[in-house]
Amino acid sequence: MPTHYLIEWLAEWGREVRRQQKGLLLLVAHRAKGLEFDHVAVLGGNWDRVGREEDQDSPRRLYYVAMTRAKETLTLIHAPNGSQLNNALIGHQSTLHHLDMGHRESNSGLNKHYQTLTMRDIDIGFAGRFNESNKVHKSIAYITTGDNLKVKNNNGKWELTDENGHVVGRLSRAYQFPENTSLIRATVAAILTRSREMTDLQYQNNVSCDEWEIVLPEFVFEKHSN
């Protein structure tokens, strides 16, 4: 495939991915041209600034571009010291005007930190050090993604257990819990498979089975208030 074909394909693919955005996407108005979203919020920043080689109406046109990205709802932030481009809409019958409600308590969800561990964070050879008949393999076989896990310290090593207390994995020595947080939930993010052939030669003497599973967890931490 010629290089320019591949570049064009990647550009179109990227544009389609942005169209399917399901989370919160923060963009400048220039980058949003040609895109559409179900819900759009336009911040009240420095919209009145005129760039080089631009006429005086360019900020208004750019603000219009930002507004017309919305398919279902459009929220315009109006700050006293911000842009005045939306003044004409205040009191208009097609708009709903919400006054500043003052300080509100922060969303408790913002105090949570989600972390999906990687292979570096896990003792990937843990279950492989037990033979096929060991109960650790059976315990792992019973769990699935989304199941709750528990984390306990066993002689300085952090172990993962199922809800019945059966050990299904262990964290690596290098893993460090985030500072100023408390672990409030652990779940199974994925279950991976590893084999003797995938193990470095220097560790193969420690392997007691040909194939084993690795539990990859997701942790949810709550940040401590200062």
Side-chain angles (χ1 to χ4, degrees):
M1 179 181 293
T3 303
H4 67 278
Y5 284 178
L6 180 60
I7 293 175
E8 290 179 2
W9 179 85
L10 286 172
E12 290 299 321
W13 175 83
R15 180 176 294 272
E16 185 62 27
V17 168
R18 290 196 297 271
R19 290 181 187 275
Q20 298 174 4
Q21 179 73 26
K22 299 299 183 182
L24 177 63
L25 184 63
L26 184 62
L27 289 175
V28 296
H30 287 291
R31 293 289 303 275
K33 290 181 178 179
L35 303 178
E36 289 184 324
F37 305 94
D38 290 340
H39 309 285
V40 171
V42 181
L43 303 183
N46 189 11
W47 288 95
D48 300 322
R49 185 176 61 182
V50 179
R52 292 182 179 179
E53 300 181 0
E54 290 185 338
D55 58 63
Q56 295 299 315
D57 288 331
S58 59
R60 185 179 298 275
R61 290 195 296 269
L62 187 61
Y63 196 72
Y64 175 80
V65 168
M67 293 173 58
T68 52
R69 300 309 92 199
K71 296 168 61 178
E72 295 184 16
T73 66
L74 171 66
T75 301
L76 304 176
I77 309 301
H78 181 80
N81 297 324
S83 172
Q84 305 303 308
L85 288 174
N86 55 15
N87 280 347
L89 297 175
I90 298 178
H92 194 279
Q93 61 180 2
S94 63
T95 63
L96 296 175
H97 187 205
H98 295 277
L99 297 175
D100 182 9
M101 301 302 292
H103 175 73
R104 299 182 182 182
E105 294 295 327
S106 61
N107 190 329
S108 59
L110 298 178
N111 294 324
K112 291 183 174 60
H113 173 69
Y114 294 79
Q115 183 182 66
T116 300
L117 273 62
T118 68
M119 297 286 277
R120 294 183 179 180
D121 304 317
I122 300 296
D123 182 352
I124 59 177
F126 174 74
R129 293 193 285 272
F130 300 93
N131 60 46
E132 288 87 348
S133 61
N134 192 279
K135 63 180 182 181
V136 66
H137 299 287
K138 184 179 294 185
S139 298
I140 297 175
Y142 275 125
I143 62 176
T144 186
T145 54
D147 285 354
N148 291 324
L149 296 171
K150 296 180 180 179
V151 182
K152 68 175 185 178
N153 192 314
N154 185 6
N155 296 323
K157 297 178 180 178
W158 291 100
E159 293 181 339
L160 303 171
T161 70
D162 61 18
E163 291 191 294
N164 296 318
H166 301 139
V167 179
V168 296
R170 180 184 291 167
L171 303 184
S172 70
R173 295 180 180 179
Y175 177 75
Q176 298 289 330
F177 290 96
E179 296 183 356
N180 300 318
T181 63
S182 297
L183 179 64
I184 61 174
R185 187 168 70 251
T187 56
V188 178
I191 299 178
L192 311 176
T193 301
R194 195 168 179 85
S195 65
R196 186 189 299 270
E197 289 74 17
M198 298 170 65
T199 306
D200 292 341
L201 291 176
Q202 58 181 326
Y203 300 118
Q204 286 195 4
N205 290 335
N206 299 326
V207 176
S208 300
C209 58
D210 293 331
E211 191 174 85
W212 64 95
E213 292 181 312
I214 305 169
V215 177
L216 201 66
E218 180 184 72
F219 290 161
V220 181
F221 299 92
E222 190 167 55
K223 300 177 182 179
H224 297 159
S225 57
N226 295 328

